[in-house]
């Protein structure tokens, strides 16, 4: 795993790059957040959806809720980028829509859009 620091509009983001899945459970997500905080001085995470365990996108699994609650409690923010169009779950589409209206969790198409969301 490699974490790249990028700064835009005075806000620092950590862009996560890896050849393997990075977020597999709540603890791995929290470890990533703390690594970004201590190594780069930020709690803003930009990550490709391919690096997040697929179970995250099945809301009934509870994984997304568990991870995102931990991020919010720790002051973390995350923007997940990728293609979400193949998901047919209405609850997931509603969740993505509502998340994108907030300030802490975003689901977008590209890494550049993810950085823009966190650096408004």
């Amino acid at each position: 795993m490699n974490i790249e620091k990028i700064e835009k509009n005075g806000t620092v983001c950590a862009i996560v790059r890896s050849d393997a899945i990075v977020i597999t459970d709540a603890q791995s997500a929290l470890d990533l957040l703390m690594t970004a905080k201590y190594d780069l001085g930020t709690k803003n995470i930009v990550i490709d959806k391919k690096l997040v365990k697929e179970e995250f996108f099945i809301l009934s699994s509870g994984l997304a809720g568990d991870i995102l609650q931990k991020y919010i409690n720790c002051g973390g923010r995350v923007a997940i980028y990728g293609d979400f169009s193949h998901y047919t779950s209405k609850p997931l589409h509603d969740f993505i829509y509502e998340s994108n209206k907030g300030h802490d969790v975003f689901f977008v198409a590209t890494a550049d859009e993810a950085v823009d969301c966190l650096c408004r």
Side-chain angles (χ1 to χ4, degrees):
M1 176 178 72
N2 180 29
I3 303 177
E4 175 187 346
K5 180 178 182 177
I6 187 165
E7 187 170 347
K8 184 174 184 178
N9 300 328
T11 301
V12 175
C13 291
I15 300 180
V16 181
R17 307 212 193 275
S18 179
D19 293 329
I21 293 175
V22 174
I23 296 178
T24 57
D25 56 17
Q27 188 59 53
S28 63
L30 200 53
D31 290 346
L32 174 62
L33 180 62
M34 292 302 112
T35 297
K37 177 183 175 186
Y38 293 111
D39 291 355
L40 304 178
T42 187
K43 293 183 181 179
N44 296 313
I45 306 294
V46 173
I47 189 165
D48 189 323
K49 73 175 279 305
K50 295 174 188 170
L51 304 182
V52 179
K53 187 175 181 179
E54 190 61 29
E55 183 183 341
F56 179 94
F57 302 100
I58 302 168
L59 294 183
S60 62
S61 74
L63 184 59
D66 194 23
I67 289 172
L68 296 177
Q69 180 163 359
K70 285 186 181 355
Y71 267 45
I72 300 301
N73 290 346
C74 293
R77 300 169 68 221
V78 63
I80 301 172
Y81 66 92
D83 181 9
F84 302 97
S85 65
H86 69 280
Y87 294 111
T88 58
S89 165
K90 182 173 178 356
L92 179 61
H93 283 279
D94 292 347
F95 178 73
I96 288 172
Y97 176 78
E98 290 299 324
S99 293
N100 286 342
K101 289 174 28 178
H103 302 286
D104 300 312
V105 179
F106 302 95
F107 298 88
V108 294
T110 68
D112 288 340
E113 287 177 275
V115 170
D116 287 345
C117 287
L118 294 174
C119 295
R120 293 184 199 160

